[in-house]
């Protein structure tokens, strides 16, 4: 028998020890009840500074955590754990987490752009969990925000969704995607639908930050920030190729929806890729049977034999035309050469078909439809972004993140008056370039600095075309916007000071310089100017505190200022805001400022009851509002064949908004639980004559109450969505003229009726990889229309979905 040399034995032993060590540095986290792996569990350590997230198999590489005395493990819906690296090692790097209804300490990113516990953030921040999204099955990203119960959603058409948060909306709210600002220089004060460009299936995490956060995000972040984090490529935690993904199909009866989605992740040790694609086909939306008759659609316009014909709608509950299609694609590449550097590149593309603006289809003139057609052209959004992160303690920073992005936006409006041959097309393109450089630096055990720089540049190109649909001849028409450039340059600094384990202070300041250049075409409108140049700066700040007398108490307060700089839509737009009124450019604008105070209290009682209440007050000064105006001394001009009152955006008002947000969660026996969210907001806006009017974007009180039941394989929810009435007297002055979208009271005046829907959703896990989802929305078939919306919500709606994961 041949002897094995001692050196080989030693080498083999060393190899086995080394291999075992590598394997032991992969942690596996599972659900204590179901023993299923938990995806998206965050692991954080202060010393050494390290961060990791589990993949679909519940695994994460924690090599960089070696020696840590405390590692925080958190994910929505589970009790947080605090363990040392040696404790994890003793447990064989296998951890079970206990389900919990309460999430006072979930990890959030939107507050500072860095991962941190919500219990250390003075502002109110919520996360919408992936479990909620899987159960609720939202059709669009607008519906995704709505399931939180804290965001009111307005829709002018089915292909839309304009969030209202704390009495603000549209260009007074900010959207970010993977940390990149989505707001452009043509985000308007009217309702927006840009959020539908995002794919809810491709979201890894969605957060909503309530109230101003101009220090981190700059202009527009007055009412809140909606932060969308798309799927992040995941690496292999061993030498095998890691492949995961999911596929989803869905059908809904109310709009004959047919949706399919597929994403796949392929990862190695240093390289990872994720690809995602979704296809949506929405038919005309059918509303409910019981509700105001004014919401019915008895007729619609159809083009026949070179004429517009009024056609009787066979089913007045079907809102014709409201259908559209959409496709979303995403490709990401990630490279992590070591524990210090992380490179990510992302490509995003979204395109809709043409879709009708349904509320404009409802307008009439002289007893006939106002328009033969009014629709949006394909809405296209494309983004290329590169992020570079470094995690290394240096003199200037401990962590650094660079985000560079190029976005292309394309949208158009196509309209034609009833039985007229001239079709007007207004096409807008925005090329948005941005760069963000963010740092964190821990100065001591108590002081952490967050600071950074931001550059944003928007190039706006707008054109108009008038086409005779009978002859096919096209001519140049007036553009909606001037050729414009909008730029923002900013620097910010924020300090988080932990006075004790219970008390934390955070304060920050931001300086912003903004510049807008515009060239006006006076061919079609006699503007008394051909160019406009606006230069503004803004200084904003915040100061907040968090007090935690115990692990189940959180008390927070925050004072903050914010601003919104005039953009191209404010300065240079020409459009018809309402029947008989036309808005014209105004080059003499300044930023508007918001001053906010809010306080929040969250308390958990005996691990069985959680109560969360926030109150806020916001004062808007120098507000940019639409007011009567004169163009070349005239208060009226002929626009679109109609003598119209001249209006313009002006710094002409003061507004205030105040309200409360309240939530309750109750853990019940036998797998049951109950939760409810309620929102009350009131807004007032100063008018020309010094009197006040209710604010247009302060939604009526609204909320949702949910009764849930969950076992290892079955998750069910019975819930009620509801909203209060807005009487005619409480409508904003500019809303009172939109009689076509509201119900009519006994006095013949428009109003928004209160409403509720009773809904049921269920998700059943057939196997570890396959689940079936079903739901019945609006069980009582109510006919309702959310406040300020131009289209009614779905009637009784059966939803069926099949999901598989691998």
């Amino acid at each position: 028998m041949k002897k094995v040399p001692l050196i080989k034995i030693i080498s083999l032993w060393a190899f086995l020890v080394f291999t075992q060590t590598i394997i032991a540095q992969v942690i596996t986290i599972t659900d204590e009840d179901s023993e299923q792996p938990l995806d998206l569990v965050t692991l954080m350590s202060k010393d050494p500074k390290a961060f990791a997230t589990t993949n679909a198999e519940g695994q994460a590489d924690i090599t960089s955590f070696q020696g840590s005395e405390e590692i925080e493990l958190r994910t929505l819906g589970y009790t947080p754990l605090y363990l040392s690296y040696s404790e994890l090692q003793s447990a064989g790097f296998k951890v079970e987490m206990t389900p919990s209804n309460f999430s006072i300490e979930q990890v959030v990113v939107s507050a500072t752009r860095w991962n941190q516990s919500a219990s250390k953030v003075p502002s109110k921040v919520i996360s919408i969990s992936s479990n909620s999204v899987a159960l609720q099955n939202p059709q669009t990203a607008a519906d995704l925000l709505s399931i939180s119960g804290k965001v009111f959603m307005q829709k002018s058409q089915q292909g839309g969704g304009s969030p209202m948060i704390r009495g603000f909306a549209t260009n007074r709210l900010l959207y970010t995607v993977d940390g990149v600002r989505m707001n452009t220089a043509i985000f308007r004060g009217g309702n927006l639908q840009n959020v539908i460009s995002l794919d809810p299936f491709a979201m890894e995490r969605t957060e909503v930050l309530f109230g101003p956060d101009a220090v981190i995000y700059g202009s527009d972040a007055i009412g809140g920030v909606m932060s969308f984090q798309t799927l992040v490529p995941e690496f292999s935690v061993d030498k095998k190729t890691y492949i995961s993904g999911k596929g989803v199909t869905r059908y809904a009866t109310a709009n004959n929806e047919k949706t399919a989605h597929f994403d796949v992740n392929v990862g190695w040790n240093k390289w990872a890729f994720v690809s995602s694609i979704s296809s949506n086909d929405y038919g005309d939306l059918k509303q409910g049977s019981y509700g105001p008759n004014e919401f019915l659609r008895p007729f619609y316009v159809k083009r026949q034999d070179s004429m517009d014909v009024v056609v009787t709608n066979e089913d007045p509950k079907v809102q014709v035309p409201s259908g559209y299609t959409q496709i979303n694609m995403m490709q990401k590449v990630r490279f992590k050469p070591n524990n210090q550097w992380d490179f990510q590149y992302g490509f995003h593309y979204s395109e809709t078909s043409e879709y009708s603006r349904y509320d404009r289809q409802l307008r009439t003139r002289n007893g006939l439809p106002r328009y033969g057609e009014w629709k949006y052209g394909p809405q296209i959004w494309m983004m290329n972004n590169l992020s570079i992160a470094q995690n290394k303690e240096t003199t200037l920073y401990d962590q650094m993140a660079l985000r560079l992005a190029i976005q292309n936006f394309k949208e158009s409006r196509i309209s034609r008056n009833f039985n007229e041959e001239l079709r007007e097309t207004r096409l807008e393109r925005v090329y948005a370039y941005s760069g963000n450089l963010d740092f964190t630096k821990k100065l001591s055990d108590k002081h952490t600095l967050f600071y950074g720089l931001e550059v944003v540049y928007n190039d706006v190109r707008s054109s108009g075309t008038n086409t005779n649909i009978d002859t096919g001849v096209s001519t140049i028409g007036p553009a909606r916007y001037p050729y414009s450039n909008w730029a923002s340059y900013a620097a910010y600094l924020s300090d988080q000071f932990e006075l004790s384990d219970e008390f934390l202070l955070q304060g920050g300041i931001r300086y912003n310089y903004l510049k807008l250049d515009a060239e006006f075409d006076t061919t079609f409108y006699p503007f008394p100017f051909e160019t406009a140049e606006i230069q503004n700066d803004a200084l904003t700040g915040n100061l907040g505190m968090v007090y935690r007398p115990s692990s189940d108490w959180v008390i927070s307060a925050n004072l903050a200022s914010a601003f919104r700089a005039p953009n191209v839509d404010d300065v240079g737009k020409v459009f018809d805001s309402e029947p008989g009124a036309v808005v014209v450019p105004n080059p003499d604008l300044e930023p508007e400022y918001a001053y906010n105070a809010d306080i929040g209290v969250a308390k958990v009682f005996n691990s069985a009851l959680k109560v969360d209440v926030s109150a806020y007050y916001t004062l808007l000064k120098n507000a940019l509002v639409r007011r009567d105006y004169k163009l070349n001394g005239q208060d009226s001009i002929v626009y679109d064949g109609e003598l119209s009152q001249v209006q313009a955006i002006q710094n002409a008002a003061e507004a205030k908004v105040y309200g409360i947000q309240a939530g309750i969660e109750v853990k019940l026996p036998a797998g049951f639980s109950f939760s409810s969210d309620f929102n009350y907001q009131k807004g007032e806006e100063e008018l020309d004559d010094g009197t006040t009017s209710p604010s247009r974007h302060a939604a009526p009180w609204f909320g949702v109450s949910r009764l849930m039941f969950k076992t290892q394989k079955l998750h069910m929810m019975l819930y009620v969505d509801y909203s209060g009435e807005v009487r005619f007297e409480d409508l904003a002055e500019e809303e009172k003229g939109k009689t076509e979208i509201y119900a009519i009271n006994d006095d013949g005046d428009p109003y928004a009726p209160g409403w509720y829907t009773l809904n049921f959703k269920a998700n059943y896990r057939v196997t570890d990889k396959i689940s079936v989802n079903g739901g019945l929305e609006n069980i009582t078939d109510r006919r309702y229309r959310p406040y300020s919306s131009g289209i009614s919500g779905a009637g009784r709606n059966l939803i069926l979905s099949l999901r598989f994961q691998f």
Side-chain angles (χ1 to χ4, degrees), residues 54-76:
T54 58
N55 60 24
E57 296 179 356
Q59 296 183 327
D61 184 350
I62 59 170
T63 305
S64 57
F65 290 77
Q66 288 187 20
S68 176
E69 293 298 321
E70 183 177 87
I71 301 173
E72 298 181 17
L73 291 80
R74 301 179 186 272
T75 189
L76 276 176

Side-chain angles (χ1 to χ4, degrees), residues 164 167 578 626-627 682-687 692-700 726-739 741-742 750-752 787-788:
M164 296 183 182
E578 57 191 15
R626 191 165 66 232
R627 291 286 185 264
K682 194 77 173 177
E684 294 180 358
E685 182 180 290
E686 182 184 7
L687 298 178
T692 61
S693 164
S695 173
R696 174 188 176 191
H697 291 139
V726 182
R727 301 176 303 165
F728 172 73
E729 295 81 7
D730 296 328
L731 280 176
E733 287 300 313
E734 57 187 303
E735 291 293 295
K736 291 180 178 179
K738 302 175 184 178
T739 56
I741 68 173
Y742 289 108
Y751 79 107
Y787 164 72
S788 192

Side-chain angles (χ1 to χ4, degrees), residues 234-534:
E234 296 176 339
F235 299 107
S236 172
V237 294
D238 52 34
K239 294 188 176 181
K240 298 179 182 178
T241 301
Y242 172 68
I243 301 176
S244 65
K246 67 177 180 289
V248 182
T249 60
R250 184 177 61 211
Y251 175 76
T253 58
N255 57 358
N256 196 29
E257 180 213 7
K258 296 176 283 292
T259 285
H261 167 81
F262 180 78
D263 65 68
V264 60
N265 182 102
V266 180
W268 296 272
N269 294 124
K270 295 183 178 182
W271 288 90
F273 302 82
V274 66
S275 304
S276 172
I277 184 168
S278 295
S279 174
N280 311 96
D281 186 341
Y282 306 109
D284 293 328
L285 181 63
K286 185 175 182 177
Q287 57 189 320
S289 301
Y290 308 103
N293 289 332
E294 292 88 355
F295 296 164
L296 292 173
R297 179 68 162 153
F299 64 86
Y300 59 92
V301 176
K302 188 175 182 180
R303 189 74 177 173
Q304 292 180 346
D305 300 324
S306 300
M307 291 182 62
D308 290 328
V309 180
V310 177
V311 178
T312 299
N313 192 356
E314 294 181 359
D315 186 350
K317 292 181 291 184
V318 178
Q319 299 172 100
V320 182
S322 58
Y324 72 104
T325 61
Q326 181 170 339
I327 188 168
N328 284 78
M329 295 182 288
M330 182 182 74
Q331 178 63 56
K332 283 190 170 183
V333 181
R334 186 180 180 189
F335 174 57
K336 192 173 183 180
N338 51 49
N339 289 328
Q340 292 184 9
W341 291 96
D342 194 341
F343 300 82
Q344 291 188 52
Y345 164 77
F347 170 78
H348 304 258
Y349 183 84
S350 173
E351 181 174 357
T352 70
S353 64
E354 292 183 345
Y355 55 98
S356 293
R357 178 163 175 180
Y358 183 77
D359 62 340
R360 294 297 175 96
Q361 308 286 335
L362 305 177
R363 290 186 177 178
T364 58
R365 185 168 61 179
N366 301 324
L368 291 172
R370 172 73 170 81
Y371 296 102
E373 56 182 312
W374 208 119
K375 57 189 175 182
Y376 290 105
Q379 178 174 294
I380 298 175
W381 171 66
M382 183 173 69
M383 179 170 77
N384 289 272
N385 67 306
L386 174 67
S387 67
I388 302 173
Q390 185 186 23
N391 188 352
K392 182 182 180 180
E393 294 186 11
T394 68
T395 304
L396 295 178
Y397 60 85
D398 297 332
Q399 293 173 290
M400 178 275 293
L402 173 65
R403 297 178 181 88
L404 303 173
I406 301 174
Q407 298 179 81
N408 294 336
F409 299 83
K410 180 182 178 182
E411 59 185 55
S412 58
R413 294 159 178 80
I414 303 165
S415 62
R416 182 177 55 81
N417 292 333
F418 185 75
N419 265 330
E420 293 186 9
E421 68 280 359
L422 189 66
R423 174 188 290 144
E424 299 178 345
T425 301
R426 305 295 178 256
L427 173 66
E428 281 76 55
R429 292 179 180 270
V430 179
Y431 304 93
Y433 310 88
S434 63
N436 292 86
L437 187 58
D438 300 293
F439 303 94
T440 67
K441 179 62 181 177
K442 193 172 185 65
L443 300 180
S444 67
D445 290 339
K446 296 182 179 296
H447 274 288
T448 302
L449 284 183
F450 304 90
Y451 63 100
L453 304 170
E454 180 184 69
V455 176
V456 179
Y457 182 84
N458 282 192
D459 186 8
V460 178
R461 293 291 177 258
S462 183
S463 62
T465 303
N466 295 336
T467 303
N468 187 308
I469 61 173
D470 291 336
T471 64
V473 175
S474 296
T475 58
I476 296 176
R480 181 177 171 90
Y481 297 112
Y483 274 25
S484 313
N485 297 316
W486 184 92
S488 169
Y489 309 92
Y492 75 90
L493 173 68
S494 182
D495 179 33
Q496 190 175 87
F497 179 36
E498 298 184 44
L499 281 78
S500 66
D501 292 338
E502 295 80 23
F503 196 80
L504 175 147
L505 285 175
Q506 183 160 338
I509 191 170
R510 179 187 180 104
Y511 175 76
N512 236 110
Y513 172 76
L514 304 113
K515 191 173 187 294
L516 187 154
D517 292 302
E519 296 181 9
F520 293 88
D521 185 352
T522 57
T523 304
F524 299 95
Y525 302 111
F527 301 134
F529 43 79
E530 293 185 356
T531 62
E533 180 179 323
I534 297 178

